[in-house]
Amino acid sequence: FFMGDHFRGDGGDKMPVKFGPAGVPLSCKGRTIVEGMDDIIALGLETMEAQTVRMIQPQHFEQYWQAGVLAEKTGFEMNIHGPYYSELLGGRVELGRSLAKIETTLQAARTINARHITLHTGHYGETGRGRETNETVANVFASVVDRLEAIWHDEEDEFPVFPWIKSGTPSKIGIETSGRQELWGSLEEVLEVVNHVEGTIPVLNMAHIHARGHGSMRTSEDYGELFDQVRETIGTKEFYCHFSGVDHRGGNAQFYTQIKKSDLNFEPLAEFIVEDGGWLDITLISDSPLLEHDAMYMLQSIEKSRHKQIERKAREDRRRALALQTGASVEDLKAREAEQAALRTGQKAPETSPEPAPEPAAEAESVPEPQEAPKNAASKTKKASKAKATKKQEKAEDDVFDFEEDDDDLF
């Protein structure tokens, strides 16, 4: 099962979903981006995000160019993450330093043939939250987009080493949602800026959104509301997302965790993508400490949700066919299936049911004499086998101790 094979949602539309890790896979013996791409492709994944969270050294550009060539030839989706520490709302010095780091990231993005460039904004400035701050952020990112356009379409650069420059379009500037209250980047803030700055996209970091919302992403409906909000605000069907487990307290992300050790589960998102996400074109990057392992886990979760959907549709088709043959309603057939399933899973249920209990009681009241016979027989049996009674007492005592042990486990 490869994510390159686009499977379909309920609407019948193609639903491209690409998975990949944030960085070179942990299992990769080599540590270069090209070697990481080889391992990612071998796993059946289709994308990655190169991590340049600090400064990029000049000697790295050779491997970036090799990765760009490989991405162009194979159709592999390459992305890049800019500097982690950024202060776009800081003073003149902080802003200048941040833009210098971003400039290097933009150059690397062209070299590596990146489709998306993920950038952070940083702490709220002196103006705090509000429209004025959002306008400042929008102006900064508008200048970043202009600079990327200039780098991408440099007329003086005649070297034919970047074929994707001539045939492709510039990278999209991704503005990432933040996971802490003191950092600019709530979902609403990001969408407002993206809506006003052409060439930018929101980077939906699900762990950050979940943490900032005090554990808000719990069900498939939560994800449906999130994607609908983005679509209605900026009118897009293409989504670039990060996913991992997260430890969070008080509306703030503390650190990333593997998905299975977090209250942020991937299954609800997988269910939404399969059941209602036929209109999505989505890239999911694993930020988990397990990187490619959790990327594979997400891929397998999508596959399981897809199989459940197929099985459910097969049952519905079978019910409709039987309804036409027998004249029964689909609801009646569904109810019968539920009864049969209950019988298969709990055949002893009728014996323990409280409803038949009144009948023996009535017989005991109407015929009291036969009731004594079992008692006499029982007393004779007790006299004949005292050892059995002793064993029963021992068993009962054992049960009591077993209960106490279980009770201790509760603490």
Side-chain angles (χ1 to χ4, degrees):
F1 179 82
F2 293 93
M3 296 311 298
D5 297 329
H6 298 163
F7 48 122
R8 297 176 181 271
D10 286 339
D13 299 326
K14 287 186 178 180
M15 182 176 56
V17 184
K18 295 180 180 179
F19 291 96
V24 177
L26 300 173
S27 56
C28 181
K29 293 182 179 178
R31 302 313 301 166
T32 68
I33 295 176
V34 173
E35 290 169 320
M37 291 173 68
D38 288 338
D39 279 24
I40 291 169
I41 293 171
L43 289 171
L45 304 174
E46 287 189 305
T47 184
M48 75 175 292
E49 185 182 80
Q51 300 299 291
T52 61
V53 295
R54 296 176 179 85
M55 286 295 288
I56 304 169
Q57 302 299 325
Q59 61 267 27
H60 293 164
F61 275 90
E62 176 66 22
Q63 62 166 299
Y64 283 6
W65 173 74
Q66 293 174 357
V69 172
L70 181 59
E72 173 74 7
K73 289 182 178 179
T74 61
F76 186 89
E77 183 184 298
M78 180 59 70
N79 308 286
I80 195 167
H81 197 298
Y84 180 79
Y85 187 79
S86 189
E87 293 290 352
L88 300 184
L89 288 169
R92 198 169 185 178
V93 175
E94 291 83 4
L95 177 59
R97 287 174 182 167
S98 299
L99 291 177
K101 294 177 183 178
I102 290 174
E103 167 73 18
T104 312
T105 302
L106 300 183
Q107 297 282 355
R110 184 184 79 150
T111 308
I112 208 171
N113 191 14
R115 290 291 79 219
H116 305 96
I117 304 170
T118 299
L119 299 176
H120 293 176
T121 302
H123 292 81
Y124 288 101
E126 295 179 356
T127 55
R129 306 169 190 246
R131 184 169 183 175
E132 183 180 348
T133 299
N134 293 345
E135 288 178 355
T136 302
V137 173
N139 291 333
V140 172
F141 277 109
S143 67
V144 171
V145 171
D146 291 341
R147 179 58 187 150
L148 178 64
E149 290 278 351
I151 292 172
W152 198 274
H153 300 299
D154 187 355
E155 296 179 358
E156 297 180 0
D157 188 359
E158 298 178 355
F159 296 102
V161 293
F162 304 125
W164 51 90
I165 299 289
K166 304 297 181 183
S167 58
T169 57
S171 310
K172 292 287 186 182
I173 298 296
I175 307 174
E176 185 174 357
T177 54
S178 72
R180 299 188 64 83
Q181 302 295 331
E182 72 269 17
L183 299 177
W184 185 95
S186 69
L187 177 63
E188 291 73 20
E189 289 169 338
V190 169
L191 292 181
E192 182 178 344
V193 170
V194 169
N195 197 35
H196 287 86
V197 182
E198 190 175 352
T200 61
I201 61 164
V203 177
L204 304 179
N205 188 315
M206 300 303 179
H208 287 174
I209 294 172
H210 180 72
R212 192 158 180 154
H214 302 271
S216 58
M217 307 308 293
R218 301 280 184 178
T219 66
S220 60
E221 289 78 13
D222 293 331
Y223 288 101
E225 292 175 5
L226 171 65
F227 286 110
D228 284 343
Q229 180 182 354
V230 177
R231 178 171 58 171
E232 291 168 4
T233 305
I234 63 175
T236 184
K237 294 183 179 180
E238 297 181 9
F239 292 87
Y240 187 73
C241 307
H242 287 191
F243 199 98
S244 75
V246 62
D247 182 271
H248 61 95
R249 297 164 201 162
N252 293 302
Q254 303 297 317
F255 51 84
Y256 289 143
T257 70
Q258 64 186 81
I259 295 174
K260 289 185 178 180
K261 291 190 176 181
S262 171
D263 64 350
L264 177 61
N265 299 316
F266 183 75
E267 284 76 8
L269 177 54
E271 180 183 342
F272 168 75
I273 290 173
V274 171
E275 297 291 342
D276 303 306
W279 55 277
L280 290 171
D281 183 348
I282 184 170
T283 297
L284 274 162
I285 299 296
S286 168
D287 272 331
S288 160
L290 297 185
L291 290 181
E292 77 277 15
H293 302 289
D294 266 348
M296 292 295 296
Y297 171 74
M298 290 191 286
L299 186 153
Q300 291 163 4
S301 296
I302 290 281
E303 185 180 3
K304 287 179 183 177
S305 294
R306 179 60 175 159
H307 287 325
K308 287 180 182 178
Q309 181 196 54
I310 293 171
E311 290 172 359
R312 190 191 71 252
K313 286 185 175 181
R315 286 195 298 270
E316 292 172 354
D317 292 342
R318 186 169 62 248
R319 287 192 200 110
R320 282 192 287 268
L322 285 173
L324 290 173
Q325 292 175 2
T326 61
S329 68
V330 175
E331 289 73 17
D332 290 340
L333 293 174
K334 190 174 181 180
R336 289 178 194 174
E337 287 179 8
E339 290 175 4
Q340 292 173 358
L343 290 173
R344 284 196 300 270
T345 55
Q347 293 180 353
K348 293 184 180 180
E351 296 177 7
T352 58
S353 175
E355 293 180 359
E359 293 181 9
E363 290 177 3
E365 288 176 4
S366 60
V367 190
E369 294 179 1
Q371 188 73 15
E372 295 177 0
K375 288 182 181 178
N376 294 334
S379 62
K380 289 178 183 178
T381 306
K382 287 178 185 176
K383 291 178 182 178
S385 56
K386 290 182 180 180
K388 288 184 180 179
T390 306
K391 288 181 182 178
K392 285 181 181 179
Q393 284 182 349
E394 291 175 355
K395 276 188 178 179
E397 290 174 358
D398 289 342
D399 290 342
V400 172
F401 286 120
D402 287 343
F403 177 79
E404 288 177 357
E405 288 176 2
D406 291 342
D407 196 42
D408 290 341
D409 290 342
L410 294 177
F411 295 97

